[in-house]
Amino acid sequence: MKQQNTIFKLQALVMAMSAVLALTACGGGDTRIVEREPIVTDDDDHDDHNHGGEAGGRLFVLNSGELQAEVFDLDDNDLITSIALDAIPSSVYASGTYRYAALIERNANKVSFVDGGLWQEPHDDHFDLYSSMPKLINFSLAGSRPTHFVAHDGEVAIFYDGDAAADSNASVQVITDELIAGAGIPAQINFDMPMHGVAEPRGEHLLSTIRRDDEDSSSNNVILPDQVGVYHLHNGSYALEQTLDLACPDLHGAAQNEGHVVFGCSDGVLLAIEGDNGDYSAQKIDNPDSLIEGARIGSIWGHEASEQFIGLASSGDVSQFFVIDPVLGELELVDWEPLENAKPVARGFAYEAEQFVILDNQGYLTQITPHQEGDYTHWEYSGRIEITGADLSAMPEGANFSMTFSQNGHTVYIADPISQHIVIVDLDTFEVSGEIELDYVPSMITWLGIAEEHDH
Amino acid sequence: MKYKLLLGVLALASIKAYAVEGVVVNDRGAPVAGAIVKGLSSAQAVVTDEQGRFFLQGDSNEIHVMAAGYSHRMLHLHEQEDGAIVVTLSNTVIEQVDVIGLPVHASVIESSVPVTVLSGDALRRQQAATLGDSLGRQPGVNTNFHGSVASTPVIRGLSGPRVLITQNNLDVSDVSRVGPDHSVASEVSTAQQLEVLRGPATLFYGSGAIGGVVNVVDRRVPISSETRGEVLLSRESVDKQNLASFNASSGTDNFAFYVDGFSRESDDYDVPVALDGEKTVANSDEESSGYTLGSSYLLDNGYVGISVGRLDREYGIPGHSHGGHEGEEEGVYADLEQDRYQLISEINLDSPWLNAIHTRASYTDYSHSEIEGGVVGTQFFNQSSELRVDLFHRELAHWKGAINLHYKNSEVEAEGEEAFTPPSESETFALALMEERHFGDVLVQMGARIEHVTVSADRVLLPSIEVHGHDAEEEHHDHGDEVSRVFAVDHDFSPFSVSLGAVWDFMPGYNLGISVSRSQRAPSASELLSFGPHIGTGAYEVGALFALHEEDGELHFALSDSDFELETSNNIDLTFRKHEGDVGIILNFFYNQIDDYYYQGATGLFAESGHDHDHGGEGEHEDELPVYLFSHADAEFYGFEAQGIWKLNQHWQTTVFSDYVHAELSDGTVLPRTPPLRFGADLEYSGERTSATLSWTRYAKQSDVADLETTTDGYDMVDASVSYRLPIGSKDVTLFLKAENLGDTEALVHTSFIKDIAPRPGRNFTVGIRGEF
């Protein structure tokens, strides 16, 4: 029995070994590969992540004719993508930190946003840079007749005029890019009547126009407000803290810099001066004698790097620019040497307020620059270039030149609807330095990307 | 009679049904107290008394006898007559410890494959924060030193997916095989011994072990209820490291319990020569802790036990930092967590077929996050389960051995910006047979293993990256829609390994071993499926699934047309051992010819890392990485390890050693990070209470370098240690002082991926206290 057992065990062992050896034939491999639906990178889940601000930015170009927008990469001026839009906006602005293009659909009572796809996020002591494919995002804002869109230091105050016909009142919403990205709910001020107003966001404060009852108002056109209120943000909502004691009849146009907020009035400009305690005092600069008959300062531009503001007054074919010096309390006419029939269509301080450039409807870009004389800074005409050689009579109906400033270089981009291209102007040399060809009539453009930090 | 000759045993032995008794003496006839006598199962072990007597319960065909300072003895009890066994041990200078990692009982001198075991005082003396550094001075083993935080062992020039790291014979289940900056999820300070199997060990462990195995053994599943423990406290100067660790076990008649824990904290370590103006290696600090609990049920015929272990480790990754503003460095660190569950059982059977069943099973949940400035950049996950069952059959025609059934499943996933490998699942089934038999003075060991390995990945991405050479004018980036092709990939491999070895005891105290093996390995998921930037290696890694294609003069990656071959190693090992007397010698020569060796070849191309590590730098390609493509070619490895030990007298002993490996592809290209020639010597003193060592290691200059690799200068390392055993009762309390790199030598490690930014630490003093009870 024991013998048998041993033999049986031996057989089992041999069988086990031969079973293993029989498997030697399997010493190979086999691979099956099945291709699946490819992923077209919509970089939301695959964000390029970078450090530093080497990206050249992007250009949002509105093609009103085809209800779409195009976004170009300004590193190489190549088209990144086309985006179908729901409606033609009445105006387009860049958001507080230039990530989004805000599409003001005034008549639709809506503000939509296109994510330009370049942004940065704080990361300890630096910022990480992200890029993704531009797209129309789901987030939008609703309000009656959104009109003025004022950005300052990353914040944007959108002023909704309201609509008497629809029995809706004016309101203000304050947004940031983080709020847009997070689809948050903006802090809001609701007024009890409609007005064509404006609001200037200043961190915890917000200066907004206030319309009084018609019998109290000093405005000739009562839809225009005549007072300025200082609002303070508490727990996500604004409370009126102070109403400036000087009236500003027919208030239109506003701008701010570090210490001042300026409003345009029919009788001059109203200065709101920030005191040490966050309270504001009011001061008025009356219209100067040099202002032509029937005009008033109705648009104002400011820049953090400039103590002075520049305001525009127009009447008929005449457009006058004034330097507003809030420290000296003076308004000084700037001779921008306009060509005949030239009406400004776009203008603004360029990069670090070293220049102020004016694009006119004749297709010229005029540069005025500051000059120090003693304690006073004068602004003078310093050059002009033609940005189109096209016949102006060929301007498509309803179209006009438009302009946007790069926020990370001395460059402006000008859309030329006649020649259907974007002209790139280098402000350092004040020369046309390039173009982006289009095959449609561009209606509005705006620069998007990551603004370079300035030393204030 | 042949066994008496073979083993040098003077024995009259009996095969008693349920007990074995005998006496252990030395070769002068004096009894050896404290010798350990084991049966087939490690649970079946007793210690000899003052008269050298032992009484071993249970049935056993063989016994193993070991005692400090004596050569290990194995006795076959066949055909023995009744009576007490007398086991004579010869003194030896070679430390001989049972190798747990081999399925059959063996010590370092009895195996046909070269094995090294580091245990006891030597382990405590050489233990470091990382596994590679702990083993870095063992013959044939180098560390790929990664700034003290994440080294892994390099065995005979092989590492990564070719060297398997196991914890109690079960896969350590981390992601250390994928990147040199990934730490091994195992702790040395609480381990009992480290075992290194040099050369192919696929027979025992499968695909991942073609270059060797490092097995970290601890007693987390206790095999006896003996009350014992160990406590260690130490402080190091070079990195201000504080270490506290302990392990202890105890129990009742039926239950044994085990607990261990450790905590270690260190700062950035100092180096002798300033790097970037700093005499420290930035971001090389570490903080880790862990604990293990285990319990076993002790049976008459074995035990079954389980353990739960937790490991937490946070460590800086040197060389993986983001420059912050104004040149400040922002370190990237890794946060590793691992929960490990093990079940280990050894049961002796009284069946007509089987002697014993050994079962080992584990489930491991591993994750590590690479954190950049508080934000998680990349996360790695590995969930794996494993089962090994060894069925020891009864001796058949004097063949003894076991059938091994092995199952392993591992789901690996990486998420984030450096997730260069897609999620994949690897599954292995294996059947192996290992047998050995004595023919006179010759022990023949043979085995075969068949495996079935599947590597499946549901979503392998092939992004449309731009690659370009650096001399070409830089093209404009195309920002049109970027399309990533997606593949579902299933690889099936059936590696087969076979090994034949013999150990010839040609005269008492000497033996000669030869081992011939043919081993196959299935390429790993990362070697096949990778596609993306790997900052740990500073490369854009592309797996062998892909190949470069040229179309209209432009290069792009597409699926490879070639087959995915198994890597096949044909290895010959020759071993000479002199293991008795006052002089011990171990010599190993190996020749390893590997067909279809998978390696990363430089393509000469560059791709965007997608991860700019430089702020405002003017470097032309600052955010780009060189593209390395995995491909396979035949390779050749040969070399030797030599060790000589001479006991000068009762107190003094000296050791010399050397090792060397040459590694090249068949086209003559040298493989990168090959360890240089190394030799060294130790002088050891052991007195009644005081012991001391002085050791010197010379690393020769490595000038056999791969393309794009630089040569590394040679250097000398001199270390010393002194320990003093305090006269405190029966407790063993030792104070120790250790000095490393006494010469404060700048030492660049050729096997390191970051040799230029992380040299070895400068002069280091460690002071500590260790207690055993």
Side-chain angles (χ1 to χ4, degrees):
Chain A
M1 187 63 197
K2 193 171 180 186
Q3 182 83 18
Q4 272 182 350
N5 240 343
T6 309
I7 289 166
F8 182 65
K9 281 185 235 166
L10 196 60
Q11 279 175 341
L13 177 62
V14 170
M15 277 169 67
M17 285 190 70
S18 56
V20 170
L21 290 170
L23 290 167
T24 48
C26 306
D30 177 34
T31 299
R32 286 176 307 282
I33 300 173
V34 179
E35 181 147 16
R36 302 186 146 198
E37 193 73 16
I39 301 171
V40 179
T41 312
D42 175 4
D43 285 39
D44 259 8
D45 50 0
H46 178 76
D47 291 327
D48 286 337
H49 167 170
N50 245 306
H51 298 260
E54 75 282 357
R58 293 177 173 182
L59 189 69
F60 174 94
V61 182
L62 183 65
N63 174 1
S64 296
E66 290 168 34
L67 205 61
Q68 69 171 21
E70 291 192 332
V71 180
F72 291 85
D73 182 348
L74 296 177
D75 272 333
D76 50 19
N77 298 334
D78 282 350
L79 178 67
I80 300 173
T81 188
S82 298
I83 300 163
L85 302 178
D86 304 332
I88 290 300
S90 51
S91 49
V92 174
Y93 298 93
S95 63
T97 55
Y98 302 93
R99 175 173 174 181
Y100 301 95
L103 314 181
I104 311 288
E105 297 163 28
R106 190 168 196 272
N107 294 328
N109 299 325
K110 181 180 172 189
V111 183
S112 306
F113 297 90
V114 167
D115 185 349
L118 273 186
W119 75 99
Q120 57 183 4
E121 288 175 8
H123 186 175
D124 286 354
D125 62 340
H126 70 280
F127 287 90
D128 284 345
L129 189 150
Y130 294 85
S131 68
S132 67
M133 192 58 73
K135 64 177 179 192
L136 182 69
I137 61 170
N138 275 330
F139 179 74
S140 66
L141 295 171
S144 177
R145 297 287 185 264
T147 310
H148 282 308
F149 183 99
V150 175
H152 178 77
D153 204 15
E155 288 181 304
V156 171
I158 300 171
F159 204 97
Y160 297 86
D161 284 357
D163 182 2
D167 205 22
S168 51
N169 293 324
S171 61
V172 178
Q173 288 180 340
V174 179
I175 57 170
T176 60
D177 285 8
E178 291 75 38
L179 182 134
I180 301 170
I185 298 165
Q188 184 155 343
I189 301 169
N190 294 311
F191 300 98
D192 53 9
M193 58 181 85
M195 68 173 125
H196 181 53
V198 64
E200 291 283 339
R202 283 175 76 80
E204 60 185 290
H205 288 105
L206 176 103
L207 274 69
S208 173
T209 57
I210 296 175
R211 180 184 173 185
R212 290 191 275 187
D213 289 339
D214 293 354
E215 52 269 33
D216 299 328
S217 177
S218 58
S219 295
N220 293 315
N221 179 359
V222 292
I223 193 73
L224 295 175
D226 78 333
Q227 279 190 316
V228 173
V230 180
Y231 290 80
H232 194 250
L233 186 64
H234 292 283
N235 299 326
S237 62
Y238 285 101
L240 181 63
E241 210 167 57
Q242 183 188 358
T243 303
L244 297 187
D245 54 6
L246 287 176
C248 179
D250 301 296
L251 192 157
H252 192 270
Q256 61 173 310
N257 63 18
E258 196 171 350
H260 298 89
V261 189
V262 184
F263 297 89
C265 325
S266 52
D267 58 354
V269 294
L270 175 69
L271 305 180
I273 304 156
E274 184 176 355
D276 291 340
N277 307 323
D279 55 339
Y280 285 81
S281 58
Q283 194 184 328
K284 196 74 167 283
I285 309 176
D286 292 336
N287 282 333
D289 298 340
S290 51
L291 183 73
I292 59 160
E293 187 66 27
R296 48 77 53 93
I297 292 172
S299 302
I300 304 169
W301 295 271
H303 194 283
E304 285 298 308
S306 172
E307 281 198 352
Q308 298 171 315
F309 295 83
I310 288 181
L312 171 66
S314 300
S315 178
D317 292 337
V318 180
S319 298
Q320 290 183 312
F321 285 95
F322 289 88
V323 172
I324 303 166
D325 194 311
V327 179
L328 299 172
E330 284 180 10
L331 284 171
E332 191 196 27
L333 181 68
V334 179
D335 182 6
W336 66 291
E337 302 181 14
L339 296 168
E340 201 176 341
N341 297 323
K343 276 178 77 77
V345 294
R347 63 267 115 191
F349 284 98
Y351 191 72
E352 287 296 287
E354 287 153 12
Q355 307 175 351
F356 189 84
V357 293
I358 304 158
L359 176 68
D360 64 41
N361 61 352
Q362 304 300 306
Y364 287 89
L365 188 68
T366 304
Q367 187 184 51
I368 59 174
T369 51
H371 297 274
Q372 196 79 23
E373 269 177 39
D375 288 344
Y376 194 73
T377 306
H378 297 279
W379 288 74
E380 291 170 4
Y381 171 89
S382 64
R384 173 168 293 146
I385 54 168
E386 189 176 12
I387 54 95
T388 181
D391 178 3
L392 292 175
S393 64
M395 178 68 78
E397 196 178 337
N400 215 329
F401 298 110
S402 64
M403 178 168 75
T404 187
F405 295 88
S406 145
Q407 298 298 321
N408 63 357
H410 295 207
T411 309
V412 290
Y413 298 88
I414 296 168
D416 176 357
I418 309 169
S419 305
Q420 298 193 358
H421 68 169
I422 308 290
V423 178
I424 303 166
V425 177
D426 180 340
L427 294 175
D428 283 332
T429 58
F430 209 55
E431 286 170 352
V432 173
S433 62
E435 61 160 352
I436 301 171
E437 284 293 341
L438 305 173
D439 54 5
Y440 54 88
V441 175
S443 50
M444 274 172 270
I445 60 175
T446 194
W447 185 94
L448 300 175
I450 292 154
E452 196 157 296
E453 293 270 337
H454 308 304
D455 300 323
H456 297 303
Chain B
M1 279 309 282
K2 58 192 171 188
Y3 289 105
K4 290 181 193 166
L5 281 174
L6 171 70
L7 298 166
V9 170
L10 296 169
L12 285 171
S14 69
I15 182 157
K16 284 194 172 180
Y18 295 107
V20 182
E21 64 175 315
V23 59
V24 179
V25 295
N26 68 16
D27 47 13
R28 292 184 303 277
V32 177
I36 297 164
V37 182
K38 279 187 185 178
L40 193 62
S41 150
S42 47
Q44 202 184 0
V46 292
V47 178
T48 55
D49 64 12
E50 290 299 316
Q51 279 81 50
R53 291 177 305 204
F54 67 92
F55 185 79
L56 189 64
Q57 288 286 350
D59 187 12
S60 201
N61 283 334
E62 64 185 46
I63 57 167
H64 297 255
V65 184
M66 62 202 87
Y70 294 97
S71 213
H72 184 141
R73 278 280 176 272
M74 182 183 68
L75 257 70
H76 278 256
L77 306 179
H78 296 287
E79 302 161 12
Q80 305 280 2
E81 291 163 27
D82 278 356
I85 301 166
V86 178
V87 182
T88 303
L89 298 181
S90 296
N91 65 322
T92 183
V93 290
I94 297 173
E95 188 95 23
Q96 290 173 29
V97 189
D98 240 20
V99 184
I100 310 282
L102 289 170
V104 282
H105 271 294
S107 77
V108 290
I109 56 150
E110 290 165 311
S111 164
S112 63
V113 296
V115 187
T116 314
V117 176
L118 188 59
S119 65
D121 289 342
L123 171 64
R124 292 292 166 254
R125 203 161 54 235
Q126 301 203 12
Q127 76 180 26
T130 61
L131 186 61
D133 296 349
S134 302
L135 288 168
R137 220 170 156 271
Q138 297 305 302
V141 185
N142 278 263
T143 173
N144 78 341
F145 186 78
H146 204 87
S148 279
V149 294
S151 72
T152 71
V154 178
I155 300 179
R156 292 178 170 176
L158 296 174
S159 188
R162 293 182 181 85
V163 170
L164 187 75
I165 314 282
T166 57
Q167 171 93 38
N168 295 331
N169 302 14
L170 293 160
D171 196 325
V172 76
S173 300
D174 52 25
V175 294
S176 66
R177 308 297 83 211
V178 174
D181 54 336
H182 301 165
S183 176
V184 175
S186 189
E187 177 57 28
V188 177
S189 70
T190 53
Q192 174 194 353
Q193 65 187 46
L194 303 181
E195 303 173 344
V196 183
L197 271 62
R198 303 195 297 275
T202 54
L203 187 62
F204 314 121
Y205 288 97
S207 266
I210 203 164
V213 173
V214 173
N215 188 28
V216 181
V217 180
D218 59 23
R219 301 183 180 95
R220 62 178 60 205
V221 172
I223 57 173
S224 82
S225 52
E226 180 199 356
T227 299
R228 48 154 299 281
E230 184 184 1
V231 180
L232 174 76
L233 293 170
S234 72
R235 163 84 177 179
E236 295 193 16
S237 65
V238 79
D239 55 359
K240 302 181 184 61
Q241 185 196 93
N242 290 318
L243 169 69
S245 71
F246 77 98
N247 62 76
S249 60
S250 186
T252 64
D253 283 350
N254 289 115
F255 288 97
F257 302 101
Y258 172 86
V259 59
D260 74 29
F262 79 98
S263 170
R264 181 175 42 238
E265 211 180 294
S266 68
D267 287 351
D268 293 348
Y269 69 87
D270 297 337
V271 286
V273 177
L275 304 155
D276 291 335
E278 293 284 334
K279 276 191 155 185
T280 57
V281 171
N283 212 18
S284 61
D285 52 333
E286 191 231 340
E287 200 180 321
S288 51
S289 63
Y291 64 86
T292 312
L293 299 170
S295 177
S296 300
Y297 184 61
L298 304 175
L299 303 157
D300 290 341
N301 61 337
Y303 67 95
V304 52
I306 52 168
S307 72
V308 181
R310 166 82 183 183
L311 178 68
D312 285 286
R313 210 160 130 72
E314 271 185 30
Y315 61 96
I317 306 178
H320 191 159
S321 62
H322 296 201
H325 283 298
E326 286 140 29
E328 283 175 35
E329 288 271 305
E330 180 208 325
V332 175
Y333 73 95
D335 187 356
L336 179 162
E337 290 174 10
Q338 190 194 48
D339 291 308
R340 186 199 307 281
Y341 306 88
Q342 289 191 340
L343 180 150
I344 301 177
S345 161
E346 293 185 6
I347 305 288
N348 297 326
L349 297 174
D350 191 20
S351 102
W353 282 68
L354 297 174
N355 260 342
I357 297 179
H358 292 184
T359 308
R360 287 170 189 262
S362 69
Y363 172 76
T364 311
D365 189 355
Y366 170 95
S367 71
H368 99 245
S369 307
E370 290 180 4
I371 295 167
E372 306 167 15
V375 179
V376 174
T378 313
Q379 280 182 291
F380 295 86
F381 303 94
N382 183 356
Q383 284 174 346
S384 56
S385 38
E386 186 173 3
L387 174 68
R388 298 175 64 96
V389 179
D390 292 311
L391 305 170
F392 292 85
H393 62 77
R394 291 213 171 265
E395 252 181 51
L396 290 169
H398 304 311
W399 285 97
K400 66 179 183 116
I403 293 169
N404 170 253
L405 303 169
H406 190 190
Y407 169 77
K408 189 154 95 175
N409 181 304
S410 168
E411 286 178 42
V412 176
E413 205 175 324
E415 279 176 9
E417 49 202 42
E418 286 166 31
F420 53 92
T421 42
S424 64
E425 185 175 349
S426 303
E427 198 171 45
T428 302
F429 289 95
L431 173 69
L433 180 69
M434 287 147 278
E435 293 295 324
E436 66 176 35
R437 190 195 152 158
H438 284 94
F439 293 93
D441 296 335
V442 179
L443 169 69
V444 174
Q445 296 178 322
M446 54 185 266
R449 179 186 175 100
I450 180 76
E451 267 185 278
H452 185 73
V453 180
T454 55
V455 179
S456 328
D458 247 9
R459 292 177 70 76
V460 179
L461 299 185
L462 171 57
S464 54
I465 61 154
E466 276 186 26
V467 291
H468 57 83
H470 266 186
D471 5 323
E473 193 182 326
E474 192 150 357
E475 289 176 39
H476 286 312
H477 301 278
D478 179 9
H479 275 275
D481 283 354
E482 286 182 2
V483 178
S484 290
R485 294 173 69 188
V486 182
F487 303 96
V489 179
D490 284 292
H491 292 288
D492 276 349
F493 296 103
S494 302
F496 178 73
S497 297
V498 59
S499 158
L500 181 64
V503 183
W504 176 31
D505 291 294
F506 60 94
M507 58 186 282
Y510 290 81
N511 70 34
L512 204 53
I514 180 167
S515 171
V516 181
S517 67
R518 180 175 190 274
S519 307
Q520 289 190 312
R521 176 179 81 97
S524 68
S526 63
E527 288 167 299
L528 289 169
L529 309 173
S530 289
F531 206 112
H534 186 182
I535 307 302
T537 56
Y540 197 101
E541 295 188 358
V542 180
L545 186 67
F546 308 104
L548 265 178
H549 287 256
E550 191 170 342
E551 206 172 278
D552 304 331
E554 285 191 11
L555 288 169
H556 66 97
F557 281 100
L559 287 179
S560 170
D561 301 328
S562 66
D563 293 334
F564 306 104
E565 300 291 344
L566 287 166
E567 187 173 291
T568 304
S569 154
N570 301 291
N571 186 81
I572 300 175
D573 252 292
L574 291 172
T575 306
F576 167 83
R577 300 183 185 100
K578 177 190 182 310
H579 57 87
E580 287 182 6
D582 289 337
V583 176
I585 296 169
I586 303 177
L587 299 175
N588 298 110
F589 297 92
F590 65 93
Y591 176 81
N592 190 358
Q593 194 263 317
I594 304 184
D595 295 335
D596 300 304
Y597 177 86
Y598 280 77
Y599 69 101
Q600 286 187 314
T603 58
L605 300 171
F606 290 80
E608 282 187 40
S609 71
H611 194 116
D612 183 357
H613 277 251
D614 205 333
H615 287 247
E618 297 298 315
E620 194 187 348
H621 295 281
E622 62 201 25
D623 59 344
E624 298 194 333
L625 292 172
V627 178
Y628 283 83
L629 176 64
F630 275 101
S631 48
H632 49 79
D634 296 349
E636 191 180 62
F637 293 74
Y638 54 83
F640 67 86
E641 293 110 27
Q643 208 180 358
I645 304 164
W646 181 24
K647 188 166 185 177
L648 304 167
N649 58 38
Q650 192 192 343
H651 298 302
W652 291 90
Q653 178 171 306
T654 181
T655 304
V656 291
F657 83 101
S658 177
D659 58 17
Y660 172 75
V661 58
H662 177 83
E664 66 172 48
L665 294 176
S666 55
D667 64 3
T669 312
V670 173
L671 287 163
R673 293 177 296 280
T674 300
L677 171 70
R678 183 169 64 164
F679 43 91
D682 293 352
L683 182 64
E684 288 169 65
Y685 169 81
S686 50
E688 195 181 340
R689 296 205 171 273
T690 310
S691 55
T693 60
L694 178 66
S695 49
W696 160 72
T697 314
R698 169 73 193 169
Y699 292 81
K701 177 180 179 171
Q702 181 54 286
S703 40
D704 282 352
V705 290
D707 296 343
L708 308 176
E709 194 184 33
T710 55
T711 60
T712 305
D713 285 342
Y715 56 91
D716 296 280
M717 284 277 125
V718 179
D719 305 332
S721 72
V722 184
S723 63
Y724 178 72
R725 194 162 53 82
L726 296 172
I728 307 174
S730 62
K731 306 280 185 289
D732 208 354
V733 178
T734 308
L735 288 172
F736 63 90
L737 175 68
K738 194 163 76 168
E740 290 158 290
N741 192 6
L742 270 171
D744 207 21
T745 305
E746 186 188 33
L748 304 189
V749 183
H750 189 75
T751 41
S752 171
F753 275 86
I754 53 169
K755 66 171 184 176
D756 294 319
I757 57 170
R760 284 187 194 270
R763 188 182 296 125
N764 180 32
F765 293 99
T766 308
V767 57
I769 184 165
R770 183 179 158 214
E772 277 183 283
F773 57 88

